[in-house]
Amino acid sequence: MDFGAFLVLFFCGSRFFLYLCPKYSNKNMKRHLFFAGLTVLLSAVAMSAYAEDLATYYANANKKKAAELKVAMKAIISDHTKLSYSSLWTYYEKIDYIMEGDKKRVFDYYSDIVAYFPEPSTMNKEHTVPQGWWGGGTGPAQGSDLFQVLPSEKDANGAKGSYPLGVVTGSVKYPSKGVENTRMKTGKDKNNKMVFEPCDEYKGDFARIYMYVATCYSDVNWQRQSDLGCVLQKQDYPTFISQDFINLLLQWCRQDPVSDWERTRNDRVYAVQHNRNPFVDYPSLFEYVWGDSIDYDFDVTLPHGQSDVEIPDIPVDPIDPDNPDDPDNPDNPDDPDTPDNPNAQSCSVVFSEYDWTSTTHPTYGAGYTATVNGLTLSYYKAGSTTAPMSIENAGGHLRFYDQSIFMIEGAEITKVVFHDAGGSKSGCSIEVGDASYGFQSDVITWTGSMKPFICKANKQSRISSIDVTVADLATSVTDFSGTATIRIVFDEQGRRLGRSVPARRGLYLVREGDKTTKQFVK
């Protein structure tokens, strides 16, 4: 047996083991573990063998983008075997199980309650995308599609109802008093609408199911009545009615990447239904259809999707690619006489390009935070009478409310330039220390030295981006010139990790605009 055949056999055997024993690859193992040296290379080569099969299956979607890419994916995945609704429990026993000894436990996205096969009396078949949204009935293909009709405990099924995905911010309707369920809740969102919110562990799973349905069934006569909560419409692109809802799905896909369980389930459904969920096969595909990569062609031969890019080879010595202990190396990072950042560095931060998550500061209260190349940006309600807001969809800007706090952590900041998005109130300014800075030609400029940098808003201003100059960032800041260049970091399997390379050991793919490179963290 030659070396290449051994790698393929090793990889296929591993996938077969995961197929039989999914408990060894469940959602608790969210973070991909990287192995040093040869192990990294082996897994990379093995992954490429599997990618060749996907590239063949998705060949007709190659080098397409945005609407054209979505239409091509629909043509591929909509050609599948239609199952009867009454037969689904037979298939669930082959698909939605976790082995516990000699028992098959039902894998339930909706409830903690334990149930075992054969078909338990406590379980239902639940339409992730509600039946009422297409007028009811289980006869249409979407009514019995295994990718979106899942086993669910009865009470959880009833509580979910026909509510769309959303974030519960008001009173919780379910779980009700005396009911314990950590996997989901229903209640009112910030717009006072009833929504269904899965737990953080499965938010990405549900987002990818919705994306699959919007792609595979874009030609369905979706019922748009507001009382049904339907978020879809009969349309090739974007199919989702609301940009706010698209942004929610994008956020959930980013914060909860594709898991080994999803990959296992994708393979099992394919064996029965003979189609796949492309948003599981390609963890970054959602960016090319609806997200921040719609201007790029999607390459089906690469798990991260970037097309027409020459990626440099992995260093000869992946254990120690930079030879940090070589005394003759003038770039030796361990040389105490060589500073990490001999010169101040600048970067432009366009707020709409980053993932913002809710946070709370012990002094300044509720707010949002984002990570930008080693810097942490946050803004908080503080003394404001208005709650902090995340990025506004229309203008892609932050609203700095009167008395709210904005903070930059992670380096000594020597200059910050705030750019007006338009619509800022007359006389607004930003206070830093004892000084106040106002707009001059649509910018507010501060210079000095602060770590962390903290400022307070005076009256409401709308800020689209900032230019930051740092003096002591531990790792180099990448220069973001303009809004077209977006930095995204992926793991080897194409799962999006965010904007910055993690500190943990492993091989990463870093895409900046049209350029993709490999980075090895030792």
Side-chain angles (χ1 to χ4, degrees):
M1 179 184 298
D2 63 29
F3 184 65
F6 168 78
L7 290 177
V8 172
L9 180 61
F10 173 83
F11 182 70
C12 293
S14 299
R15 290 192 63 83
F16 184 67
F17 175 77
L18 293 176
Y19 182 94
L20 294 177
C21 305
K23 71 176 182 178
Y24 291 103
S25 58
N26 61 29
K27 289 285 290 196
N28 291 326
M29 300 175 65
K30 294 295 293 181
R31 295 185 179 274
H32 181 61
L33 299 177
F34 294 93
F35 300 93
L38 183 59
T39 306
V40 172
L41 298 176
L42 287 174
S43 63
V45 174
M47 182 62 196
S48 67
Y50 182 60
E52 289 176 5
D53 295 334
L54 294 181
T56 299
Y57 179 76
Y58 292 109
N60 290 338
N62 196 37
K63 301 301 178 67
K64 293 179 170 57
K65 57 188 175 184
E68 187 182 12
L69 175 60
K70 182 173 178 293
V71 170
M73 285 296 182
K74 171 184 169 54
I76 295 168
I77 65 177
S78 60
D79 183 17
H80 63 81
T81 300
K82 181 180 178 298
L83 307 174
S84 67
Y85 182 74
S86 61
S87 69
L88 293 189
W89 270 104
T90 300
Y91 296 115
Y92 288 155
E93 191 167 0
K94 301 176 182 178
I95 295 170
D96 291 287
Y97 69 87
I98 297 175
M99 294 303 300
E100 291 187 355
D102 59 352
K103 291 184 178 181
K104 281 187 173 182
R105 175 178 173 175
V106 180
F107 186 92
D108 185 355
Y109 276 110
Y110 296 95
S111 173
D112 306 292
I113 294 176
V114 175
Y116 297 94
F117 289 101
E119 182 177 352
S121 60
T122 58
M123 303 290 288
N124 285 161
K125 294 169 282 191
E126 168 59 10
H127 293 86
T128 304
V129 176
Q131 293 186 62
W133 291 6
W134 65 78
T138 57
Q142 66 270 18
S144 59
D145 191 317
L146 284 167
F147 280 117
Q148 83 105 2
V149 187
L150 306 174
S152 169
E153 189 270 331
K154 286 182 176 179
D155 291 339
N157 178 20
K160 172 183 172 291
S162 295
Y163 302 141
L165 294 176
V167 177
V168 177
T169 58
S171 59
V172 176
K173 181 178 178 182
Y174 178 87
S176 55
K177 187 175 181 180
V179 175
E180 292 186 7
N181 188 352
T182 65
R183 298 205 173 190
M184 62 166 280
K185 59 184 174 181
T186 61
K188 292 189 175 181
D189 65 4
K190 63 181 180 180
N191 299 316
N192 207 34
K193 299 288 187 181
M194 289 297 298
V195 294
F196 154 66
E197 180 179 359
C199 64
D200 291 346
E201 192 176 358
Y202 301 127
K203 280 185 167 68
D205 303 54
F206 279 98
R208 285 179 280 274
I209 291 172
Y210 265 65
M211 290 173 171
Y212 165 85
V213 171
T215 302
C216 189
Y217 301 108
S218 58
D219 55 351
V220 167
N221 288 314
W222 299 102
Q223 307 296 306
R224 292 190 56 181
Q225 292 92 327
S226 59
D227 59 329
L228 292 175
C230 183
V231 299
L232 298 163
Q233 59 186 329
K234 184 178 181 180
Q235 182 188 71
D236 284 339
Y237 188 84
T239 309
F240 294 112
I241 298 171
S242 164
Q243 183 62 45
D244 283 344
F245 190 79
I246 292 175
N247 291 341
L248 177 69
L249 298 185
L250 296 177
Q251 176 186 339
W252 284 4
C253 282
R254 291 165 184 165
Q255 73 183 48
D256 176 32
V258 174
S259 67
D260 288 332
W261 165 254
E262 288 177 90
R263 295 180 188 277
T264 296
R265 192 176 194 279
N266 201 14
D267 291 342
R268 291 175 177 176
V269 173
Y270 176 69
V272 171
Q273 197 168 277
H274 309 115
N275 72 332
R276 307 183 65 83
N277 184 342
F279 299 98
V280 173
D281 285 327
Y282 296 101
S284 62
L285 175 62
F286 66 95
E287 298 286 12
Y288 291 82
V289 177
W290 294 284
D292 58 17
S293 301
I294 58 175
D295 294 326
Y296 298 100
D297 290 341
F298 187 77
D299 190 333
V300 300
T301 67
L302 299 172
H304 58 89
Q306 179 64 64
S307 180
D308 296 329
V309 174
E310 182 177 350
I311 302 177
D313 291 334
I314 303 172
V316 175
D317 182 4
I319 301 293
D320 191 9
D322 298 319
N323 294 317
D325 297 321
D326 181 359
D328 297 325
N329 182 358
D331 297 323
N332 183 358
D334 292 338
D335 183 352
D337 296 326
T338 304
D340 291 329
N341 294 274
N343 301 304
Q345 302 172 66
S346 299
C347 66
S348 178
V349 179
V350 180
F351 290 132
S352 60
E353 293 180 356
Y354 296 94
D355 301 328
W356 293 83
T357 56
S358 298
T359 187
T360 301
H361 191 277
T363 302
Y364 303 123
Y368 291 87
T369 187
T371 300
V372 182
N373 272 13
L375 298 175
T376 300
L377 277 58
S378 309
Y379 64 112
Y380 302 98
K381 177 179 179 181
S384 172
T385 57
T386 307
M389 298 176 65
S390 58
I391 294 294
E392 294 190 341
N393 300 318
H397 59 264
L398 289 178
R399 276 192 186 177
F400 286 10
Y401 287 105
D402 188 24
Q403 303 301 306
S404 62
I405 294 291
F406 180 73
M407 183 183 302
I408 305 174
E409 300 172 277
E412 177 190 347
I413 309 300
T414 58
K415 183 177 181 180
V416 182
V417 180
F418 298 84
H419 294 270
D420 183 20
S424 296
K425 289 189 176 181
S426 176
C428 63
S429 62
I430 291 176
E431 296 181 16
V432 184
D434 297 327
S436 180
Y437 300 81
F439 280 106
Q440 300 292 329
S441 301
D442 296 327
V443 300
I444 293 176
T445 302
W446 168 87
T447 57
S449 178
M450 288 187 71
K451 182 180 181 180
F453 172 81
I454 301 176
C455 68
K456 181 170 66 174
N458 174 28
K459 292 191 177 181
Q460 182 192 128
S461 57
R462 299 185 178 190
I463 307 297
S464 61
S465 65
I466 58 174
D467 300 325
V468 183
T469 302
V470 302
D472 68 343
L473 194 64
T475 57
S476 297
V477 174
T478 301
D479 183 14
F480 287 82
S481 54
T483 61
T485 302
I486 300 175
R487 189 175 198 256
I488 306 177
V489 179
F490 304 92
D491 67 13
E492 288 179 275
Q493 294 185 343
R495 289 181 280 210
R496 177 191 172 119
L497 301 177
R499 308 291 186 185
S500 301
V501 176
R504 64 184 182 273
R505 186 185 189 93
L507 181 66
Y508 301 92
L509 301 173
V510 181
R511 196 189 83 201
E512 297 183 71
D514 292 319
K515 182 181 179 182
T516 298
T517 58
K518 292 179 182 179
Q519 291 191 22
F520 189 87
V521 177
K522 59 184 179 179

